[in-house]
Amino acid sequence: MKSLITLLLIFSAQFSSLAQGTDFVILKRGAKQKSQIRFYPGETITYKSTKIDYFVTDVIKSIDQNYIYLSENILSPESITEIDIRDKDRRNGTLRALNVLTLGAGVILLGAESINSIYHGNEFSVSSGVGLASGIILGTGIAMLPIRYKTFKNTGRNKIQLIQMRME
């Protein structure tokens, strides 16, 4: 009976530690949760503010109701004009994977045709249809390289919110 009570106390202590809230900065593009990006204390953030016209990278130390405390600066959400989200936005990972897939398919098609021609005809040649198809696939992959979500601009429907989740 004592071991059961001890085990119950250990699990309740673990669940209460999981119930502790955390603060975070949320970037919202709309009402959908897919378009939300969160920055937690301890993470680096690259931003451009109204006072500084270039991007600055800093570490978030803590978050208050009205301010973001960084290691080198204190900001309000209204003073931030842009935030660099290249590494943070998960949609960029999907675009990067699609890019690699397209470029890889073009290279594999071209390589398979050239190896096949060497094996069957003892000479290197690529048929015009396969060359055209692999060229189109490679061109599509190269054209898709610059398509990424780069910055979050704090204008219009886009909002920066400070969320404090405290369990007391």
Side-chain angles (χ1 to χ4, degrees), residues 86-87 89-99 148:
R86 291 171 211 223
D87 297 330
D89 197 351
R90 64 179 177 219
R91 296 174 293 181
N92 281 343
T94 305
L95 288 171
R96 189 176 299 123
L98 185 63
N99 239 357
R148 300 257 167 81

Side-chain angles (χ1 to χ4, degrees), residues 109-125:
L109 181 61
L110 192 61
E113 173 65 19
S114 60
I115 289 171
N116 196 21
S117 69
I118 291 171
Y119 181 73
H120 285 293
N122 292 333
E123 65 179 276
F124 177 78
S125 67

